[in-house]
Amino acid sequence: MTKSNSPRFGRPLSVLYRLPAVSVLWVLLSLLLAPAASAQRVVAVGDIHGNYEGFVEILQASDLIDDELRWVGGDTRLVQTGDVTDRGPGVLEAIDLLRRLETEAAAAGGEVISLLGNHEAMNVLGLTRDVNPRLYERLAVEGSELRRDESWKGYKKWRKQRSRQRTKGTQPVPDDDAESWKTAVPVGYLEFFDAFGPEGEYGKWLRSLPVVAQIDDVVFLHAGIPPELALESNEEINEKVWDELARYDSCRQLLLEQGVIWETSDPLDMAREGLAEVAALRQRLIRAPESAKEPLQNTLDVLTTCTDYRDWYLVRENGPLWFRGLARWNPADGLDWLAQSLRRRGAAHFVAGHTPRRSGNIETRFEGRAILIDTGMLREVYGGRPAALEILNGEFTAIYPGERVPLEVNARGVPAPSGSQWLGPDGDALPFSSSGQIKDFLSQAEFVEAEQTAKGINRPLKVLLEKDGVEAYAVWRNVDKEGQRLQLKSGRMIGKYRDSFRYEVAAFEVDRLLGLDRVPPAVLRRYKGQLGSLQLWLHGVFDEEERREKDLQPPLPLQWAQQNQMKAFFDALILNFDRNQGNLLIDERTWKVWLIDHTRSFLEENSFEDLESLKRCDRKVWERFKNADESTVRARLDGILRAYELDALIKRWDVLRKHFEELIEERSEARVLFDAVTPVVRTGG
């Protein structure tokens, strides 16, 4: 009996769709539009399927690795869209190369992003239908054959035991089935389960991979996002798949420990045996005394979360790992859906693999909104060739060995990115392209007029500035006083503290060090002989208090959530103990959140009130944060903060760095760091 004919192994995934459903949908996301194209080079490679030589060939053709297979791509970002595994013989070599290049690229300022494909999902779930037999040979070690023989003996005992436990159980296995079982379980098969299991070398890495990644206005994924999932954010889809993997692993471990399944059981066995166990547990719960109900209920709760696979993104036919609409749907029927899905991600293009192109070329569909990069590089199966997609300065180029072909990629209907975020008194854009230019303006412009502001406990001044014909408003503060004991709305009691204009400038400089871009530029400046802080005035904004009063909902919930996460990160770092709804300003065009009024910050403390609540961080901010050296921080803030305030900031910096390093080690980088959704201009109503 061959594996493909075995009643236990190699069944098509369509069987899974006949099982009952558990559906967990957390709908977020958005409406809006496309950010500007990045000047950083991006290269994407589609399905590899064990063609290690072809993978090396296209990486070299893309100038990413040298003859010794070392990273030479500098700050290029390489995206591999999944299906490294199955069918071809070089799966382990390709994975090992990707994992090594992750480290080498990061050291050079670049990045390697590997995505989870449907075949990786099959491997970690133990669905071995398409595994190349040479992979088992590669994983086999001395003693593997003996281990397989022992597993066969254990399997026979397990089948007999299960038959006794169930009224209509499986019949004992006759000895003449040994050969069939061993055909289905070749030498090295058990080692495959180890290597791709939750604690295995390859399994751990695969379980950390995201399903969707977005770089500027391009969304990368393995297959596609069907209409019914269009409202789900990239982050939600990733979290859903990671949750499914964790639930599967927990369920499998529990069923193994209780003898419900055997070590070679796949998800189909788990579903069948697990459902039977759920039914038995429910009967036992009815008869069990109260003292025994809790552990039975706990077991039942675990099993009921993972014995139903039909709606799992890992296996569902229209899930993000399996959907083929980008490759097969009629553009006339799918264009509106695709454009809407992109708008809700603030994106212009999907880049996906999964469905080999018969032409062996990278192709575009849906008026350039979909770029399909699976060129069937495993020649002996698909007859294609290695290929890569290059994105640079908004230009898209197909790369083949010895050939580069520019692609006609437009994105009709995708709105243009925003212009200047800095506005003058008349609402026109100010002629500044950087915060450094605004600092120069604030430091040198003349004060034309001043008036008291309507808000603010310290009654700052709104002043009109002018330099070389350019006019702009700014806010000037000169509060600088000590306070004794202050109870916040949260109930927290603050002892000795200082309320100082200096902290406005310090907050901006820290924001600038991090590349956070949430604090308007501010400088120290004298007005009428008094030293204070001068900060650019923001036009076209409303505060959080007004948003709540009018029940205004953010058009891009993921962007909103990410901004809140970074607000918490920033406030923890500078120890801002007076954040309130009035000092969160929201740009009415882009819903970008600005952080103002930091006069009550930078306490002489190095501890945190709720460090454990800080669990996510913008990837770019994190890179700058972790790499910032103490001398740079001190030099930037010298003359603004007092020595003891600066010492406390440095200590908090170290505590936060250690906290996130531990989080990344524990949960994986993909689960802790995110790529920020770029705020974009709202058009129309």
Side-chain angles (χ1 to χ4, degrees):
M1 181 173 65
T2 66
K3 183 191 301 182
S4 59
N5 295 325
S6 166
R8 297 190 62 257
F9 299 96
R11 299 187 184 185
L13 280 173
S14 58
V15 178
L16 297 175
Y17 309 142
R18 297 200 292 268
L19 296 172
V22 168
S23 180
V24 180
L25 264 182
W26 173 28
V27 178
L28 271 178
L29 250 161
S30 52
L31 292 162
L32 290 169
L33 324 169
S38 171
Q40 188 175 17
R41 183 177 185 241
V42 177
V43 174
V45 176
D47 302 41
I48 298 169
H49 280 306
N51 183 0
Y52 172 67
E53 292 78 10
F55 185 37
V56 168
E57 184 180 15
I58 197 58
L59 290 181
Q60 291 175 335
S62 303
D63 298 321
L64 294 181
I65 61 174
D66 60 17
D67 291 341
E68 296 181 351
L69 311 188
R70 297 294 175 182
W71 180 265
V72 292
D75 66 353
T76 298
R77 303 177 81 173
L78 168 64
V79 183
Q80 200 288 313
T81 58
D83 277 12
V84 180
T85 63
D86 283 346
R87 299 202 166 106
V91 168
L92 299 185
E93 292 87 345
I95 294 179
D96 289 341
L97 177 59
L98 271 171
R99 292 169 65 196
R100 175 167 59 77
L101 293 179
E102 284 179 354
T103 302
E104 294 179 8
E111 185 178 15
V112 173
I113 302 171
S114 298
L115 301 181
L116 196 72
N118 63 304
H119 281 269
E120 283 78 33
M122 291 170 68
N123 286 176
V124 298
L125 293 176
L127 291 164
T128 58
R129 179 188 67 196
D130 297 320
V131 174
N132 189 297
R134 287 176 59 181
L135 180 59
Y136 300 135
E137 297 171 10
R138 279 285 315 280
L139 291 169
V141 296
E142 185 178 351
S144 288
E145 189 165 0
L146 178 61
R147 180 184 177 186
R148 183 182 63 161
D149 291 342
E150 292 301 315
S151 184
W152 161 246
K153 295 175 184 176
Y155 176 70
K156 287 199 300 180
K157 291 179 181 178
W158 170 77
R159 286 285 297 273
K160 292 177 182 177
Q161 183 181 18
R162 291 297 289 167
S163 293
R164 288 194 298 266
Q165 290 173 344
R166 295 164 57 184
T167 305
K168 295 181 180 180
T170 310
Q171 294 301 311
V173 183
D175 287 342
D176 58 6
D177 274 359
E179 198 59 39
S180 298
W181 189 87
K182 290 180 180 181
T183 299
V185 183
V187 174
Y189 188 88
L190 298 175
E191 286 73 17
F192 169 85
F193 269 67
D194 292 342
F196 285 81
E199 299 303 319
E201 179 182 358
Y202 299 103
K204 264 186 182 178
W205 180 73
L206 291 173
R207 283 164 171 79
S208 74
L209 301 184
V211 175
V212 190
Q214 183 165 346
I215 299 176
D216 297 314
D217 64 350
V218 182
V219 176
F220 299 87
L221 72 170
H222 179 63
I225 297 175
E228 58 267 31
L229 300 186
L231 289 176
E232 291 208 5
S233 69
N234 301 338
E235 193 168 39
E236 285 179 289
I237 291 171
N238 289 333
E239 291 289 349
K240 180 76 177 291
V241 169
W242 286 327
D243 175 66
E244 290 173 357
L245 286 169
R247 283 191 285 146
Y248 170 81
D249 290 337
S250 297
C251 185
R252 179 177 176 82
Q253 184 61 34
L254 179 62
L255 291 172
L256 283 170
E257 290 173 353
Q258 298 192 354
V260 178
I261 60 173
W262 187 242
E263 61 181 341
T264 54
S265 297
D266 65 15
L268 300 170
D269 301 315
M270 280 180 56
R272 181 178 58 250
E273 301 291 346
L275 286 169
E277 189 69 8
V278 165
L281 280 170
R282 286 175 176 155
Q283 292 300 314
R284 289 170 62 189
L285 265 173
I286 295 172
R287 299 189 299 268
E290 284 301 319
S291 59
K293 285 184 182 295
E294 184 174 353
L296 288 174
Q297 185 63 56
N298 290 341
T299 301
L300 182 61
D301 290 343
V302 172
L303 293 183
T304 53
T305 67
C306 55
T307 53
D308 186 338
Y309 293 92
R310 190 179 66 184
D311 277 342
W312 280 29
Y313 289 4
L314 286 166
V315 296
R316 66 188 280 186
E317 186 176 12
N318 277 339
L321 298 177
W322 294 85
F323 178 64
R324 296 190 189 273
L326 291 180
R328 294 180 177 173
W329 279 18
N330 186 326
D333 298 331
L335 185 58
D336 289 344
W337 143 72
L338 188 60
Q340 180 192 51
S341 186
L342 286 167
R343 283 197 301 271
R344 291 178 183 277
R345 286 166 170 75
H349 311 279
F350 281 119
V351 171
H354 187 48
T355 306
R357 312 316 297 154
R358 292 183 179 179
S359 64
N361 297 330
I362 290 176
E363 298 177 3
T364 65
R365 301 191 78 228
F366 298 96
E367 298 182 353
R369 290 175 174 84
I371 305 171
L372 307 180
I373 62 172
D374 180 1
T375 54
M377 75 162 68
L378 184 62
R379 296 181 181 92
E380 53 267 40
V381 175
Y382 302 108
R385 57 174 171 170
L389 173 70
E390 177 189 72
I391 307 171
L392 181 62
N393 294 322
E395 300 293 328
F396 293 74
T397 303
I399 301 175
Y400 309 103
E403 184 181 11
R404 292 173 60 89
V405 181
L407 297 177
E408 291 289 335
V409 174
N410 61 49
R412 283 181 280 174
V414 178
S418 65
S420 171
Q421 61 191 11
W422 311 109
L423 302 178
D426 55 4
D428 291 338
L430 292 171
F432 305 128
S433 59
S434 69
S435 59
Q437 292 178 356
I438 298 172
K439 278 187 64 177
D440 292 341
F441 175 83
L442 293 173
S443 300
Q444 300 168 21
E446 293 184 7
F447 288 81
V448 177
E449 60 185 46
E451 62 179 356
Q452 206 82 51
T453 61
K455 289 189 176 184
I457 192 171
N458 294 310
R459 304 302 301 275
L461 297 178
K462 181 179 181 181
V463 300
L464 178 63
L465 304 173
E466 188 275 334
K467 181 179 182 292
D468 299 332
V470 176
E471 290 187 339
Y473 280 110
V475 59
W476 185 79
R477 296 179 174 88
N478 69 334
V479 61
D480 194 22
K481 60 186 180 183
E482 288 191 355
Q484 299 289 339
R485 296 183 62 78
L486 175 69
Q487 186 168 16
L488 306 182
K489 291 180 181 179
S490 66
R492 182 185 175 192
M493 185 65 70
I494 299 293
K496 183 179 178 181
Y497 67 94
R498 193 169 194 90
D499 200 346
S500 175
F501 64 83
R502 293 177 177 274
Y503 302 151
E504 289 291 358
V505 183
F508 165 66
E509 293 296 346
V510 171
D511 170 274
R512 200 177 179 200
L513 275 167
L514 298 176
L516 188 60
D517 191 28
R518 298 289 162 186
V519 180
V523 299
L524 294 176
R525 184 76 190 272
R526 289 190 179 274
Y527 176 60
K528 293 186 176 180
Q530 284 190 295
L531 186 63
S533 64
L534 189 63
Q535 188 169 46
L536 192 69
W537 187 274
L538 294 175
H539 296 269
V541 295
F542 55 93
D543 63 28
E544 174 65 2
E545 184 177 18
E546 182 181 353
R547 184 191 75 81
R548 296 190 182 192
E549 286 176 354
K550 296 181 179 180
D551 193 28
L552 301 174
Q553 298 303 312
L556 229 63
L558 178 58
Q559 171 197 338
W560 183 256
Q562 290 178 342
Q563 291 184 110
N564 281 322
Q565 288 163 345
M566 295 316 298
K567 169 181 65 69
F569 178 93
F570 183 69
D571 283 346
L573 178 61
I574 69 170
L575 232 172
N576 176 20
F577 59 89
D578 195 27
R579 177 69 66 204
N580 58 63
Q581 296 175 15
N583 53 43
L584 293 173
L585 301 184
I586 304 161
D587 189 317
E588 62 187 13
R589 305 169 307 152
T590 66
W591 279 71
K592 176 176 180 175
V593 177
W594 291 97
L595 311 177
I596 65 166
D597 199 356
H598 299 101
T599 62
R600 293 180 174 181
S601 303
F602 296 98
L603 291 175
E604 189 184 359
E605 296 182 17
N606 53 48
S607 59
F608 298 88
E609 189 176 15
D610 189 13
L611 184 62
E612 294 306 312
S613 67
L614 302 175
K615 296 181 179 179
R616 305 297 305 276
C617 187
D618 182 304
R619 186 183 305 276
K620 292 181 179 178
V621 171
W622 167 246
E623 290 299 323
R624 295 182 66 151
F625 176 78
K626 74 172 182 178
N627 293 323
D629 60 90
E630 181 177 337
S631 61
T632 300
V633 177
R634 289 187 179 277
R636 183 68 68 89
L637 297 169
D638 184 44
I640 302 173
L641 292 181
R642 299 162 182 84
Y644 64 85
E645 295 164 341
L646 190 47
D647 289 343
L649 173 65
I650 295 298
K651 290 178 181 177
R652 291 194 300 273
W653 204 295
D654 290 339
V655 172
L656 264 181
R657 182 189 286 118
K658 182 179 179 183
H659 170 69
F660 274 93
E661 286 174 344
E662 290 175 350
L663 272 181
I664 290 170
E665 176 68 24
E666 176 186 341
R667 302 181 64 209
S668 84
E669 185 175 287
R671 298 193 186 194
V672 176
L673 305 182
F674 59 79
D675 294 309
V677 173
T678 306
V680 291
V681 172
R682 180 201 292 265
T683 60

